[in-house]
Every structure is written in C-alpha cells, then in structure tokens.
C-alpha cells in the first residue's frame, strides 16, 4: 500500500480554500486541517487578553500557555481554544481586522508551522492556508493555488456573513479582503505565494461542486500513479 498523500491548498482570502479542502478531505477519507482557523483561534486569544496584534513580546508567552485543538465532529471541523469550542466565533470582522498583523509575527509562524507539520506527519491530509505548499509541507504530493477575482471573493464573504446574521457593506468587505491579502503577501515570514510546482485553479466561475471535482481528479491521478508504482 502506498503512503496516503499530502495535499496543500493555498490562496488569497475567501478564494474557497477551506470549503474545498473540507469536502475534498471527506471524499478521500483524509484529515482536513484548516490552518486559518488555528490563526483565527490564536487571534481570538490575543483579543480576549487585550493585547495588540503586533505585541510579540506578550503574545508568545500567551500562546505557549494556550491550547488550540482541531476536532472533526459529524464531518465538520470544530476548533477548541483552551478546551472551549470557539468555532462559531472565528469569522468576525474584529478577527479579520487583526489577524494579518498577528500572523506576520515570525515567532507566531514558527509555533504554528511546527504544530501543523506534526499534524501532517502521517499523510492522508488536506491542509489549507497561505504557506502550506511553500513552507509547511514543501514536499506535498499535490499543491494547489486557488484564485478568484476580488469582486467574487467579496461577494462570497458577504453572503457568508449575512447567513450568520452579520450585516456588512460590500465595499468595506472588499477593502478588508484586499488589505489582508496585501499584508499576507508582503510579510517576510511565510508570505502568501504560489509554490513553483503548484497547480493554479481559478474558481471565479466554478461552483463548489465543480471546484472540488477538479481537485479530486488531480488527487486521484497522483494516488493512482503511486498505486501503479507499488505494483
Ligand atoms: O477564509 P479566509 O481565506 O478569509 O482566511 P483564513 O484562511 O481563515 O485565514 C485568515 C488569516 O490567517 C489570513 O488572512 C492570514 O493572515 C492568516 N493565515 C496565515 O498567515 N497562514 C496560514 N497558513 C493560514 C492563515
């Protein structure tokens, strides 16, 4: 039996990474790790402790005494901060506004990357984020970089917020996404960047089902070729 593969999915904000990764993992029977949710839970801890997202000197000790766990319950990923389920409090405008500055801190990234590599140790994983194909799992057998137009991504995020009963303005959501992409791409440690060997998929005109099908086909090509090698 070949070792199960590792799939890295990266891309800008609201490009459909975590939804695609979750459904792809389900189809393959793999584990899904949404690394954005780990950064989101840590940002929540920072806000709760009244720290500035740039205050690395106080943030690092806080993170070493904080536990962040991901668990799959009924096919859905749940995120626990110090054993409390915070999954439904992670996609708020306040977290969106603070997270990119926090995630640019070198010491924070090192902690997260170590944790993520440990989670991926046994393969059979779909991990999504910004630096998975470039830093966390540079040896991943399949790397995907998802893109979509800014307009389309803002429309998706607005819909997601309104389904949660959060009123938002399209232009503001669009600016916030563009601001986050800018900070994520400009940082020196683990910037948002397409890995040289990543396959790019533009999801602007694709339904979720269509985009998952593309990813599934790519994954199966690689899994099948590994099976052939083992014969
Ligand atoms: O869902 P969305 O694309 O809006 O964001 P996310 O994947 O939940 O990530 C939220 C933020 O976490 C990003 O804007 C990055 O600042 C940070 N992040 C990161 O720096 N590295 C990762 N591997 C994942 C997320």
């Amino acid at each position: 039996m070949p070792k199960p593969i590792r799939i890295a999915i990266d891309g800008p904000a609201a490009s459909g990474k975590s939804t695609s990764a979750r459904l792809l993992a389900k189809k393959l029977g793999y584990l899904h790790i949404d690394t954005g949710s780990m950064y989101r839970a840590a940002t929540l801890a920072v806000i709760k402790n009244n720290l500035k997202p740039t205050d690395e000197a106080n943030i690092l000790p806080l993170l070493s005494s904080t536990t962040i766990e991901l668990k799959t319950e009924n096919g859905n990923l749940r995120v626990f901060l110090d054993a409390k389920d915070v999954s439904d409090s992670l996609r708020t405008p306040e977290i969106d506004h603070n997270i990119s500055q926090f995630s640019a801190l070198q010491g924070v990234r090192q902690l997260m990357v170590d944790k993520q590599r440990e989670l991926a140790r046994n393969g059979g994983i779909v991990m999504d984020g910004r630096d998975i194909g470039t830093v966390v799992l540079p040896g991943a057998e399949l790397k995907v970089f998802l893109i979509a137009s800014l307009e389309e991504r803002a429309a998706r995020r607005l819909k997601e917020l309104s389904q949660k009963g959060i009123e938002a303005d399209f232009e503001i959501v669009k600016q916030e996404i563009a601001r986050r992409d800018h900070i994520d791409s400009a940082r020196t440690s683990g910037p948002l960047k397409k890995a040289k060997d990543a396959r790019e998929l533009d999801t602007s005109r694709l339904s979720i089902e269509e985009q998952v099908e593309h990813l599934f086909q790519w994954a199966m090509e690689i899994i099948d070729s590994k099976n052939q090698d083992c014969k």
Side-chain angles (χ1 to χ4, degrees), residues 41-59 62 66 81 94 98 102:
T43 305
L44 180 62
V46 167
I47 294 171
K48 279 189 171 168
N49 283 275
N50 296 315
L51 294 178
K52 288 212 169 74
T54 47
D55 182 0
E56 189 161 18
N58 285 308
I59 285 177
L62 170 69
T66 301
L81 178 64
E94 194 184 14
N98 287 288
F102 163 77

Side-chain angles (χ1 to χ4, degrees), residues 11-15 17-18 34-37 39-40 91 96 99-100 103 109 116 128-132 157 180 184 187:
S15 53
K17 300 174 303 289
S18 41
D34 170 359
T35 60
S37 73
Y39 286 93
R40 284 178 182 276
R91 290 191 170 271
D96 275 7
I99 194 164
S100 287
S103 306
R109 299 210 71 79
Q116 291 155 5
D128 72 277
R130 301 291 185 289
D131 57 343
I132 312 305
R157 188 47 46 92
R180 228 158 22 96
D184 290 345
R187 69 182 173 222

Side-chain angles (χ1 to χ4, degrees), residues 45-116:
V46 167
I47 294 171
K48 279 189 171 168
N49 283 275
N50 296 315
L51 294 178
K52 288 212 169 74
T54 47
D55 182 0
E56 189 161 18
N58 285 308
I59 285 177
L60 293 181
L62 170 69
L63 293 188
S64 21
S65 62
T66 301
T67 59
I68 296 171
E69 290 161 293
L70 304 182
K71 294 180 190 166
T72 307
E73 288 176 5
N74 304 322
N76 291 316
L77 191 78
R78 306 299 299 178
V79 186
F80 294 81
L81 178 64
D82 288 331
K84 183 170 180 264
D85 187 343
V86 293
S87 321
D88 299 325
S89 321
L90 297 180
R91 290 191 170 271
T92 62
E94 194 184 14
I95 291 182
D96 275 7
H97 189 73
N98 287 288
I99 194 164
S100 287
Q101 283 176 299
F102 163 77
S103 306
L105 301 174
Q106 165 90 41
V108 166
R109 299 210 71 79
Q110 197 52 55
L111 277 176
M112 291 291 187
V113 169
D114 289 348
K115 213 171 175 150
Q116 291 155 5

Side-chain angles (χ1 to χ4, degrees), residues 93-201:
E94 194 184 14
I95 291 182
D96 275 7
H97 189 73
N98 287 288
I99 194 164
S100 287
Q101 283 176 299
F102 163 77
S103 306
L105 301 174
Q106 165 90 41
V108 166
R109 299 210 71 79
Q110 197 52 55
L111 277 176
M112 291 291 187
V113 169
D114 289 348
K115 213 171 175 150
Q116 291 155 5
R117 286 189 181 142
E118 177 61 28
L119 291 168
R121 206 183 33 188
N122 297 324
I125 191 158
V126 183
M127 190 175 274
D128 72 277
R130 301 291 185 289
D131 57 343
I132 312 305
T134 50
V135 177
V136 183
L137 305 175
E141 287 78 3
L142 172 61
K143 296 182 188 177
V144 180
F145 197 76
L146 289 187
I147 55 164
S149 70
L150 179 59
E151 297 283 318
E152 177 60 33
R153 293 187 284 127
R156 289 178 189 165
R157 188 47 46 92
L158 194 72
K159 192 169 157 204
E160 204 177 284
L161 288 169
S162 107
Q163 281 165 350
K164 282 199 204 143
I166 303 176
E167 287 269 337
D169 174 79
F170 180 72
E171 283 307 317
I172 294 177
V173 170
K174 204 165 105 180
Q175 279 167 23
E176 192 62 50
I177 287 180
R179 173 181 169 271
R180 228 158 22 96
D181 284 350
H182 174 73
I183 305 177
D184 290 345
S185 309
R187 69 182 173 222
T188 45
S189 177
L192 163 66
K193 194 167 84 181
K194 184 180 161 198
K196 280 197 189 74
D197 49 351
R199 306 181 191 201
E200 187 170 285
L201 183 65

